[in-house]
């Protein structure tokens, strides 16, 4: 479903991503881990075609990431999500549905279901500028779920959420597992990743350090956090 | 089939652009100020004007004042269009709409086309409403019906397309305010060059330039080439306004400004698509 083949992104002399290769299979819950500035978001941006790789290739759904068609049935939640402040959460969801060419009645049904799923009933018609960061994040996740995507790319989905919110998002992501959805998750919350994901990759300074099943990465008596610190600190 | 699939996102992006701009307080304020200005100008139509000791008839006064108003509206809307266009990409980026749209199966060219169409439609509508107010004032209050006034307004919309494309392109290459000033500078320089050109062709200026015993100069000096290649925004507006006074024109010359602006739209549009295609989205 996702394939990176020697993907490299350079900004002048700095290599933000340096020859990274891995693949994510359909139905897999995959976490991309790394410290700040490791190149996680750059990989996501290359996957979505927001930025072009300097060399190497990336593909989504079997198509090169430079083609718009590869983003069919892909939901995306960006890091530091912004929603136009003059829209309501409902209007934002409706716009996302319209952009996916979903009919008006279907869009209304889906939006209603998603508002319920993200636990924002009663607040969907108020303007976004009255929302907290956590509420914006929930609507962002809701927008990513519109159109029943087969692949969800989530860049720090729990950023700004309180512990209850984090737990709710985790439960939501776990429930999607039964629907056969593939998840590509960028996160700092290693404990959450350990609970949700099957496989993980750790990158540092643009280089891939490890990519395997979490059960294979984490040895007995260790936590994912210990492995992460050990690998990143060298 | 491909065109059928490409059109809906473009139209939706154009619709969102239009709606989002109209929602802005600054847009509403600008529109209200312009409408008030038009209503204030209506007093000029009813004055008694005397030229060479003779009073002008009402129809002549109406046409002359309408022509001045036409140019003021045209220039004013060009300025407002540049102001609206200069921040469109930045606002879309800051509001998260750019990443929201481009994370869907929508091509970058569809996004840019939607933006251009949305901004152009909004500015054409803006100008058309203001020109329509003048048309209604002259038709109802003064009983001088000028349908050519509205045709001239539509012709003038080509200038607005140039402004939209040029400002969008320049806003990708430089700070927004500099992009705005550059495009306004192009318009002002063109207007000044047209004025100088018209002056230099007057008999008095010709007599002053041709000194006795001076050698004849070539017809094609470098500044003439620049003058003819420069975006002819004021020329296109002048051509549009000639419809109001029903001036007859012959040959290719008078329509050259329109062709010039159209060519610039095509060239700058191509550059805009290429530049945005290579842009790293934040």
């Amino acid at each position: 479903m996702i394939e990176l083949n020697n993907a490299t992104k350079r900004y002048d002399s700095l290599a933000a991503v340096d020859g990274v290769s891995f693949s994510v299979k359909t139905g897999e819950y995959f976490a991309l881990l790394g410290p700040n500035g490791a190149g996680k978001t750059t990989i996501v941006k290359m996957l979505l075609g927001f930025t072009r790789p300097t060399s190497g290739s990336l593909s989504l759904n079997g198509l090169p990431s430079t083609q718009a068609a590869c983003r069919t049935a892909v939901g995306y939640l960006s890091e530091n999500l912004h929603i136009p402040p003059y829209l309501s959460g409902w209007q934002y969801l409706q716009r996302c549905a319209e952009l996916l060419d979903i009919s008006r009645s279907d869009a209304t049904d889906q939006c209603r279901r998603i508002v319920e799923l993200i636990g924002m009933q009663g607040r969907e018609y108020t303007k976004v500028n009255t929302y907290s960061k956590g509420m914006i994040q929930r609507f962002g996740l809701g927008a990513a779920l519109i159109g029943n995507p087969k692949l969800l790319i989530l860049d720090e989905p729990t950023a700004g959420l309180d512990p209850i919110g984090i737990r709710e998002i985790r439960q939501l992501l776990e429930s999607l597992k039964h629907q056969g959805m593939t998840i590509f998750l960028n996160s700092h919350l290693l404990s959450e990743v350990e609970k949700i994901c099957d496989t993980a990759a750790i990158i540092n300074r643009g280089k891939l350090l490890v990519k395997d099943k979490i059960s294979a990465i984490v040895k007995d008596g260790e936590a994912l956090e210990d492995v992460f610190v050990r690998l990143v600190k060298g | 089939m491909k065109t059928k699939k490409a059109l809906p996102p473009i139209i939706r992006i154009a619709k969102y652009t239009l709606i989002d701009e109209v929602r802005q307080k600054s847009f509403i304020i600008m529109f209200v100020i312009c409408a008030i200005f038009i209503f204030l100008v209506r007093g000029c139509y009813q004055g008694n004007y005397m030229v060479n000791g003779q009073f002008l008839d009402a129809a002549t006064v109406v046409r002359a004042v309408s022509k001045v108003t036409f140019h003021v509206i045209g220039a004013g809307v060009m300025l407002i269009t540049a102001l609206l266009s200069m921040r469109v990409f930045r606002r879309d980026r800051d509001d998260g709409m750019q990443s929201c749209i481009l994370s869907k199966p929508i091509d970058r060219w569809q996004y840019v086309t939607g933006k251009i169409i949305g901004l152009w439609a909004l500015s054409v509508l803006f100008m058309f409403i203001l020109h329509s107010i003048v048309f209604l004032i002259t038709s109802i209050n003064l009983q001088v019906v000028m349908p050519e006034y509205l045709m001239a307004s539509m012709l003038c919309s080509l200038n607005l397309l140039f402004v939209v494309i040029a400002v969008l392109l320049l806003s990708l290459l430089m700070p927004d305010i500099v992009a705005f000033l550059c495009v306004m500078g192009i318009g002002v320089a063109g207007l000044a060059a047209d004025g100088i050109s018209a002056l230099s062709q007057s008999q008095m200026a010709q007599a002053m330039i041709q000194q006795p015993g001076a050698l004849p100069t070539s017809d094609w000096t470098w500044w003439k080439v620049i003058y003819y290649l420069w975006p002819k925004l004021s020329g296109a507006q002048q051509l549009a306004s000639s419809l109001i006074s029903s001036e007859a024109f012959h040959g290719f010359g008078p329509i050259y400004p329109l062709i010039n602006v159209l060519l610039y739209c095509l060239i700058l549009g191509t550059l805009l698509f290429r530049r945005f295609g290579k842009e790293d989205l934040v």
Side-chain angles (χ1 to χ4, degrees):
Chain A
M1 182 148 256
I2 294 176
E3 198 145 340
L4 279 84
N5 193 3
N6 210 18
T8 301
K9 179 70 185 179
R10 286 185 177 278
Y11 295 103
D12 298 322
S13 59
L14 177 84
V17 178
D18 194 0
V20 172
S21 302
F22 63 78
S23 60
V24 179
K25 292 189 190 90
T26 306
E28 205 170 299
Y29 267 43
F30 172 83
L32 184 62
L33 309 171
N36 289 334
K40 305 187 298 290
T41 300
T42 307
I43 289 178
V44 169
K45 282 180 181 167
M46 285 196 288
L47 276 173
L48 292 163
F50 290 178
T51 183
R52 283 167 198 272
T54 313
S55 63
S57 63
L58 298 95
S59 67
L60 269 182
N61 295 320
L63 292 169
S65 63
T66 45
Q67 287 183 19
C70 78
R71 297 189 291 274
T72 308
V74 174
Y76 167 61
L77 169 62
S78 70
E79 187 188 18
N80 297 321
L81 175 79
H82 292 281
I83 299 177
Y86 41 83
L87 294 180
S88 67
W90 180 263
Q91 285 171 325
Y92 180 65
L93 294 179
Q94 287 275 353
R95 272 195 183 189
C96 292
E98 272 186 25
L99 286 167
L100 288 171
D101 219 3
I102 298 170
S103 71
R104 197 173 281 257
S105 59
D106 275 1
T108 307
D109 286 347
Q110 277 200 39
C111 292
R112 200 158 285 148
R113 186 175 53 78
I114 281 166
V115 165
E116 212 169 290
L117 198 70
I118 58 173
M120 291 302 293
Q121 306 102 301
R123 289 304 303 270
E124 69 268 40
Y125 300 117
T126 49
K127 289 269 159 64
V128 170
N129 56 13
T130 64
Y131 292 172
S132 67
K133 196 170 183 303
M135 288 159 81
I136 290 174
Q137 204 70 5
R138 282 169 194 238
F139 271 105
L141 182 61
L145 289 169
I146 284 181
N148 302 316
K150 290 191 175 81
L151 168 65
L152 263 188
I153 298 178
L154 308 172
D155 201 353
E156 300 290 355
T158 50
L161 293 181
D162 54 31
I164 297 168
I166 292 172
R167 193 175 160 180
E168 282 172 2
I169 296 288
R170 172 163 50 84
Q171 285 169 344
L172 176 64
L173 295 179
E174 278 171 342
S175 71
L176 297 173
K177 216 170 203 174
H178 307 298
Q179 296 171 21
M181 202 179 273
T182 310
I183 289 192
F184 184 102
L185 181 70
N186 255 8
S187 182
H188 280 114
L189 290 176
L190 301 175
S191 56
E192 294 302 318
V193 164
E194 215 169 351
K195 284 174 191 158
I196 305 170
C197 298
D198 321 308
T199 53
I202 300 176
I203 61 165
N204 190 29
R205 292 178 186 170
K207 285 191 184 293
L208 182 69
L209 303 178
V210 66
K211 195 259 170 185
D212 211 334
K213 286 200 175 301
I214 292 184
S215 54
I217 297 173
V218 181
K219 306 271 171 359
D220 284 340
E222 265 189 329
L224 183 61
E225 193 180 307
D226 302 322
V227 182
F228 179 82
V229 172
R230 178 160 44 81
L231 286 170
V232 169
K233 288 202 167 175
Chain B
M1 197 67 192
K2 235 182 176 180
T3 324
K4 246 185 176 177
K5 273 192 171 179
L7 270 178
I10 294 173
I11 292 164
R12 275 177 200 130
I13 294 163
K15 185 182 90 179
Y16 299 150
T17 308
L18 207 145
I19 291 170
D20 291 350
E21 288 299 332
V22 172
R23 247 187 254 261
Q24 304 293 319
K25 272 185 198 145
S26 53
F27 176 84
I28 297 166
I29 291 168
M30 282 192 287
F31 185 76
V32 170
I33 290 172
C34 290
I36 290 171
F37 167 77
I38 303 297
F39 279 110
L40 289 175
V41 166
R42 78 184 194 281
C44 300
Y45 291 102
Q46 284 147 339
N48 291 322
Y49 297 89
M50 195 186 278
V51 175
N52 292 334
Q54 287 190 320
F55 279 107
L56 294 176
D57 63 294
T60 312
V61 170
V62 167
R63 282 193 190 278
V65 176
S66 300
K67 214 170 160 181
V68 173
T69 323
F70 178 85
H71 283 299
V72 173
I73 293 172
V77 175
M78 261 199 268
L79 183 104
I80 291 166
T81 304
L83 281 170
L84 295 176
S85 308
M86 74 177 194
R87 57 196 178 141
V88 159
F89 283 144
R90 185 171 46 88
R91 210 187 43 226
D92 247 18
R93 226 173 11 236
D94 295 347
D95 283 350
M97 273 318 285
Q98 202 172 69
S99 58
C100 172
I101 292 169
L102 293 170
S103 64
K104 311 270 183 293
I106 294 171
D107 272 308
R108 288 187 185 203
W109 70 264
Q110 290 176 305
Y111 170 75
V112 174
T113 310
K115 286 282 149 196
I116 294 172
I117 293 174
L119 283 166
W120 189 37
L122 177 67
S123 48
V124 169
L125 203 69
F126 191 115
M127 187 167 72
F128 195 75
I129 290 172
L130 295 178
H131 281 148
S132 297
I133 295 173
V134 175
F135 173 76
L136 288 174
I137 290 172
T138 58
S139 304
I140 297 166
N141 287 3
L142 309 157
Q143 274 81 46
V144 180
V145 183
M146 296 184 293
E148 59 275 13
Y149 200 81
L150 300 178
M151 276 163 63
S153 178
M154 295 314 289
L155 204 61
C156 220
S157 65
L158 192 62
N159 278 354
L160 301 179
L161 181 63
F162 170 88
V163 172
V164 168
I165 295 174
V167 175
L168 286 180
L169 172 65
L170 294 179
S171 70
L172 292 175
L173 307 168
M174 53 186 79
D176 300 344
I177 189 70
V178 182
F180 163 77
L181 291 172
C182 278
V183 175
M184 286 299 99
I186 290 170
V188 171
L191 182 68
D194 280 346
I196 294 166
S197 170
L199 247 170
S200 67
Q201 280 163 15
S202 70
Q203 282 182 343
M204 197 193 290
Q206 293 284 342
M208 283 167 73
I209 293 164
Q210 283 168 4
Q211 299 286 335
L215 289 168
T217 51
S218 161
D219 273 353
W220 285 95
T221 50
W222 63 270
W223 73 265
K224 266 191 179 173
V225 174
I226 294 173
Y227 172 68
Y228 281 108
L229 291 179
W230 195 261
K232 294 264 166 250
L233 298 178
S234 64
Q237 195 159 312
Q238 199 66 43
L239 174 71
S241 76
S242 67
L243 291 176
I244 301 167
S245 46
S246 310
E247 289 166 21
F249 52 81
H250 310 282
F252 166 78
I255 60 161
Y256 171 69
L258 278 187
I259 295 167
N260 170 294
V261 176
L262 190 66
L263 281 174
Y264 267 105
C265 287
L266 291 172
I267 295 165
L268 295 177
T270 309
L271 292 174
L272 173 62
F273 285 114
R274 285 180 69 97
R275 184 69 186 81
F276 192 81
K278 288 178 184 169
E279 190 86 346
D280 273 352
L281 305 178
V282 188

